Amino acid sequence: MSASPAMLRSRYVLSTDISSEHHEHEVAGHSQHDTSTQDSVQLANPLSRKLNKILDIRLENDKDILEALKVLSAFFGKNTLRSRRNLRGDIERRSLAISEDFAQAFKKMKEGLDSIHNDVESMRSSCQDMTGRLKAAREQTSDLISKTTDLHKERQQLDMRASVTDAFLEKFQLTTDEIIALRGPRSGKLLEDFFAALERVKQIHNDCKILLRTNQQTAGLEIMESMALHEETAYERLYRWIQGECRALTGDTVEISALHCQAVAALQDRAVLFRYTLDEFGTARRSAMVRGFIEALTKGGPGGTPRPIELHCHEPLRYVGDMFAWLHQTTASEKEHIHSFLKLASSQPRKSDIEDVLGHITEGVCRPLKVRVEQVIVAEPGPVLLYRLANLLKFYSHTIRQFLGKEASILVCLEEMEELCQKVFINALTVLASKLVEKVELPPADLGPTPTLTQNLALLREILMSHDSSVVPLDARHADFVKILSCMMDPLLQMCSLSASRLNPCDMAAYMINCLYAMQSCLVLYEFTDQRLEMLAAQIAAHQDTLVNEQAAYVLSKVSLIQVYSIAQQHKLSEGPLSLVHGMDAVALKTAMVRFDTFLSSPDSFVLSQCHLINSPALREEIVRRGTELVCGAYQFLFDCINNAANGYVDPKNIVVRTPEQVRVLLL
């Protein structure tokens, strides 16, 4: 056990303090007799100064003394006189024991270091021996090492060449599995590995173009020729396989597998083979579509639902509509089949290709469809049905045109059927119009429309209703409307004019107003009739003017004012006063005014009988109102003439009692 410096220092301080204390007691015993001398000695005594210095020390701030005191407290048990006197010896003995322990420990360390030194010396000797032996061995094997190094370098070069060769073969040669996949099994079935091998051939062929830019042009040409041969063989085999698969796609349901789509996508690189493939597909689906159309006509759907279309041949519109509905649905389905067939194409297939294939597929149903529709049209089911059929054909022609190209056979067929139906329809209207002009009916007693006009207007109404509910484009409907009105309205107007030619003006005007009003009522509910309605309104207005004049003349003649009014209109002041004209004296005028008062009391009894026969209340009221306005105008004229002093009437107020304003209030 070793002693710390603080402990040694504490031992020295304690031993010094004890010695000083012992010496102090001795000095104190010899100098007690002289007190004053003692005080001076104490001031000069070093021991006193030491004690005073020790007493002045603050032990809590001296770490060394505190550490020494802690060590001393470990073996200093009792604070007795004996213990204090033996403290120095105890400390020295303890220090000696510690030194002995240190010497013993250092001895063991020295022995260990000596052992290590011996081992190191032994190792040094061994290393020197080994170094000498290695040097001798190196001198003996230097040739072998150089040869080994050369062989190692050569091996690295050979390994590098082998790696380059393997990489070249891997990049520019087909594996055995890829060649087997291209050739295929004996059964002729195409496997999915075929397409990966074909892509590999294409990639090698393209990579050879890089070789042609280097010094390996011969190798590049040879590899390109080999890959071209593999590629042509693979495309031929692929085309034969897809050709056989397309010929099998003649069922009602088409199952297009992923291999089919991959095959078509691969054939896109060969435009001719790709086109031949689409033709094979279209031919197969064409036969399936024709068979499906015949079965839909004769057998119906699976299990008889829906029923065969031929069962509705007695209903022309439904019969033709069912056929075209089947055609539209099947065309849409075939277009989806084509898109499914081409969905994996590397580039988007041209719209013209799809339209051409779809046109080829639908071409097969042109003849059976056209024969049946033409039979319905030629049978002439009536103008209304013909027009509805024409609209139906236009609708499906416009709808199916969205799937096909402009030159598709089915669209040409639809246009021909549409033209035929339109021609037969117009012909039927023309025949009907010619019959109207040839056989003219006399107007009925009530001057209303004739039964022939009513029937033809009902027919026109049905046609216009069909036209108004048509789903064909707006421009086409407008053009048809002009033709229909030209074929129907002009002959009807001519028939009405011929029928009214033998009537007097009033009856003719009333009859023509009733006929024109019936036509106007028929057209006002439909579009594209504004021009015709304006023309009819103008003709009605002209005939209204006739009845208005007749109504005014009728009233004036009933009240004996028509002759008076005529004379007053023709008279000139230069000829003399009006009162001197025969029939214009005050008595005659007063008598006429009395009769006019009768008209004012009951104007409804002074209405033409022809006005009562007009079917339109609005027109009838307008004619009466306008006729009354003319009567009021005539009264105003006579009132002004009578009240004119130049005409020589003595008491005009006695002749015309009421003013024109009063008359207007009573009549209007």
Side-chain angles (χ1 to χ4, degrees):
M1 181 178 180
S2 61
S4 63
M7 185 182 292
L8 295 176
R9 193 163 46 250
S10 64
R11 291 173 188 169
Y12 173 75
V13 172
L14 288 174
S15 62
T16 305
D17 291 341
I18 292 169
S19 299
S20 299
E21 183 182 356
H22 180 65
H23 179 69
E24 182 183 358
H25 283 295
E26 290 178 355
V27 174
H30 293 288
S31 60
Q32 291 178 355
H33 62 275
D34 193 356
T35 306
S36 60
T37 304
Q38 186 178 4
D39 293 336
S40 62
V41 171
Q42 287 178 352
L43 291 172
N45 191 358
L47 182 58
S48 298
R49 290 196 305 270
K50 186 68 174 179
L51 287 174
N52 290 330
K53 183 179 181 181
I54 291 173
L55 291 174
D56 293 337
I57 293 174
R58 302 185 68 84
L59 297 177
E60 63 273 11
N61 295 330
D62 195 340
K63 294 182 180 180
D64 294 338
I65 295 176
L66 290 175
E67 186 69 23
L69 291 175
K70 287 181 182 179
V71 174
L72 179 61
S73 65
F75 63 89
F76 187 77
K78 297 180 180 180
N79 189 9
T80 61
L81 181 61
R82 182 177 177 82
S83 299
R84 290 195 297 272
R85 288 178 177 178
N86 296 331
L87 179 60
R88 185 183 182 94
D90 292 340
I91 292 174
E92 290 177 352
R93 284 191 295 273
R94 188 173 181 82
S95 177
L96 180 60
I98 292 171
S99 299
E100 290 176 354
D101 292 339
F102 179 76
Q104 187 68 27
F106 190 77
K107 180 180 179 181
K108 291 181 180 180
M109 185 184 70
K110 181 178 179 300
E111 292 175 354
L113 289 174
D114 292 341
S115 176
I116 292 172
H117 180 267
N118 294 332
D119 292 339
V120 171
E121 287 294 328
S122 177
M123 289 176 65
R124 186 179 65 80
S125 300
S126 299
C127 288
Q128 289 178 353
D129 184 39
M130 291 177 66
T131 302
R133 292 170 63 185
L134 285 174
K135 187 175 181 181
R138 184 181 300 164
E139 292 175 356
Q140 293 175 0
T141 60
S142 59
D143 294 338
L144 181 60
I145 290 173
S146 72
K147 290 181 180 180
T148 303
T149 303
D150 294 339
L151 291 174
H152 182 67
K153 292 180 180 179
E154 186 178 355
R155 179 183 176 183
Q156 288 181 343
Q157 292 177 356
L158 292 175
D159 289 342
M160 185 180 296
R161 290 180 181 179
S163 300
V164 172
T165 304
D166 292 340
F168 182 84
L169 293 176
E170 182 180 357
K171 188 174 182 63
F172 293 100
Q173 291 294 326
L174 296 175
T175 63
T176 305
D177 294 337
E178 289 173 342
I179 294 175
I180 293 174
L182 285 176
R183 293 178 180 176
R186 295 181 178 179
S187 60
K189 186 178 180 181
L190 201 68
L191 302 177
E192 293 184 359
D193 296 340
F194 172 85
F195 299 103
L198 182 58
E199 288 297 325
R200 174 73 175 143
V201 170
K202 294 179 183 178
Q203 184 64 38
I204 293 174
H205 193 276
N206 290 331
D207 292 341
C208 286
K209 296 178 182 179
I210 301 175
L211 292 178
L212 297 178
R213 301 173 186 174
T214 63
N215 296 329
Q216 305 296 329
Q217 295 181 357
T218 304
L221 290 173
E222 291 178 356
I223 295 173
M224 287 184 70
E225 291 177 0
S226 176
M227 291 303 110
L229 182 60
H230 282 300
E231 193 173 0
E232 292 300 326
T233 304
Y235 274 118
E236 183 178 358
R237 177 169 175 264
L238 179 62
Y239 171 68
R240 297 300 178 191
W241 179 82
I242 194 63
Q243 185 181 37
E245 292 293 319
C246 288
R247 290 175 180 175
L249 297 176
T250 57
D252 295 335
T253 58
V254 180
E255 296 181 0
I256 299 175
S257 64
L259 284 178
H260 293 156
C261 299
Q262 289 179 341
V264 176
L267 285 174
Q268 271 198 317
D269 294 337
R270 295 292 186 272
V272 177
L273 298 181
F274 178 73
R275 186 63 198 177
Y276 286 165
T277 302
L278 293 182
D279 290 343
E280 288 289 344
F281 179 82
T283 301
R285 295 311 305 161
R286 173 177 175 171
S287 61
M289 189 173 185
V290 173
R291 185 180 65 254
F293 181 63
I294 300 301
E295 289 179 354
L297 289 172
T298 56
K299 296 181 180 180
T305 305
R307 301 176 66 186
I309 299 176
E310 294 285 358
L311 293 178
H312 306 293
C313 61
H314 59 285
E315 303 177 36
L317 193 63
R318 180 176 179 181
Y319 179 53
V320 176
D322 288 347
M323 286 191 292
F324 279 104
W326 182 93
L327 176 63
H328 175 253
Q329 181 180 0
T330 308
T331 304
S333 300
E334 293 299 331
K335 185 175 182 180
E336 291 180 0
H337 294 158
I338 296 173
H339 278 291
S340 299
F341 197 58
L342 301 175
K343 67 180 179 180
L344 293 182
S346 57
S347 59
Q348 187 68 22
R350 293 183 303 174
K351 184 179 180 181
S352 58
D353 291 337
I354 298 176
E355 292 176 350
D356 291 345
V357 176
L358 194 59
H360 180 61
I361 293 173
T362 55
E363 185 179 0
V365 299
C366 290
R367 183 173 180 78
L369 178 67
K370 185 176 181 181
V371 169
R372 287 165 175 77
V373 174
E374 286 181 350
Q375 287 177 350
V376 173
I377 295 173
V378 173
E380 295 186 6
V384 177
L385 276 177
L386 283 172
Y387 186 68
R388 290 179 180 176
L389 286 174
N391 285 335
L392 186 67
L393 290 171
K394 287 181 181 178
F395 167 72
Y396 279 107
S397 177
H398 176 73
T399 304
I400 297 176
R401 191 181 301 275
Q402 300 175 3
F403 303 121
L404 301 167
K406 296 181 179 180
E407 298 181 357
S409 300
I410 189 66
L411 293 180
V412 176
C413 180
L414 284 172
E415 290 176 359
E416 292 176 354
M417 289 186 288
E418 179 186 342
E419 290 177 0
L420 176 63
C421 188
Q422 190 75 17
K423 187 182 295 184
V424 174
F425 168 67
I426 297 298
N427 186 46
L429 292 182
T430 304
V431 171
L432 182 64
S434 62
K435 291 181 180 179
L436 292 177
V437 178
E438 291 176 359
K439 184 179 180 181
V440 178
E441 289 183 315
L442 294 176
D446 59 354
L447 299 180
T450 61
T452 303
L453 178 62
T454 304
Q455 293 173 2
N456 283 275
L457 288 178
L459 176 63
L460 179 61
R461 188 177 292 109
E462 290 184 15
I463 295 174
L464 295 181
M465 288 177 62
S466 302
H467 177 274
D468 199 43
S469 61
S470 176
V471 291
V472 298
L474 196 64
D475 295 340
R477 284 196 292 164
H478 191 189
D480 292 343
F481 197 86
V482 173
K483 293 180 182 179
I484 293 170
L485 291 183
S486 298
C487 291
M488 291 290 293
M489 295 301 296
D490 294 340
L492 288 176
L493 290 173
Q494 186 179 1
M495 180 195 72
C496 294
S497 299
L498 293 175
S499 178
S501 59
R502 299 179 182 180
L503 299 177
N504 59 59
C506 288
D507 292 342
M508 177 185 293
Y511 173 69
M512 289 301 296
I513 288 176
N514 287 332
C515 293
L516 293 172
Y517 175 72
M519 297 179 190
Q520 189 181 48
S521 301
C522 177
L523 298 181
V524 74
L525 300 176
Y526 306 101
E527 56 184 354
F528 308 127
T529 59
D530 295 341
Q531 185 176 359
R532 284 284 175 176
L533 289 175
E534 291 177 1
M535 183 186 70
L536 292 175
Q539 293 182 3
I540 290 174
H543 292 294
Q544 274 185 302
D545 293 340
T546 301
L547 283 181
V548 167
N549 294 328
E550 292 292 335
Q551 170 67 21
Y554 175 74
V555 172
L556 293 176
S557 63
K558 283 288 185 180
V559 297
S560 302
L561 285 180
I562 189 169
Q563 187 175 2
V564 173
Y565 178 69
S566 178
I567 294 172
Q569 278 187 322
Q570 297 176 2
H571 177 73
K572 297 180 181 179
L573 291 177
S574 59
E575 298 176 355
L578 183 63
S579 58
L580 300 178
V581 179
H582 177 72
M584 296 298 293
D585 57 287
V587 177
L589 290 177
K590 190 172 183 179
T591 303
M593 289 303 170
V594 171
R595 293 182 180 178
F596 187 74
D597 288 341
T598 306
F599 166 68
L600 295 178
S601 62
S602 58
D604 294 338
S605 60
F606 292 83
V607 179
L608 280 173
S609 60
Q610 289 85 352
C611 291
H612 291 291
L613 297 178
I614 294 176
N615 294 331
S616 173
L619 294 177
R620 183 169 59 247
E621 292 176 1
E622 183 180 1
I623 291 171
V624 174
R625 179 183 59 78
R626 288 175 59 191
T628 304
E629 288 179 353
L630 290 179
V631 172
C632 292
Y635 182 81
Q636 174 78 43
F637 181 77
L638 291 175
F639 181 83
D640 294 339
C641 291
I642 293 172
N643 284 278
N644 190 354
N647 288 322
Y649 292 102
V650 179
D651 189 9
K653 292 184 178 180
N654 190 26
I655 300 174
V656 285
V657 180
R658 292 181 177 83
T659 64
E661 289 74 14
Q662 292 174 342
V663 172
R664 287 183 180 276
V665 170
L666 291 173
L667 294 178
L668 301 176

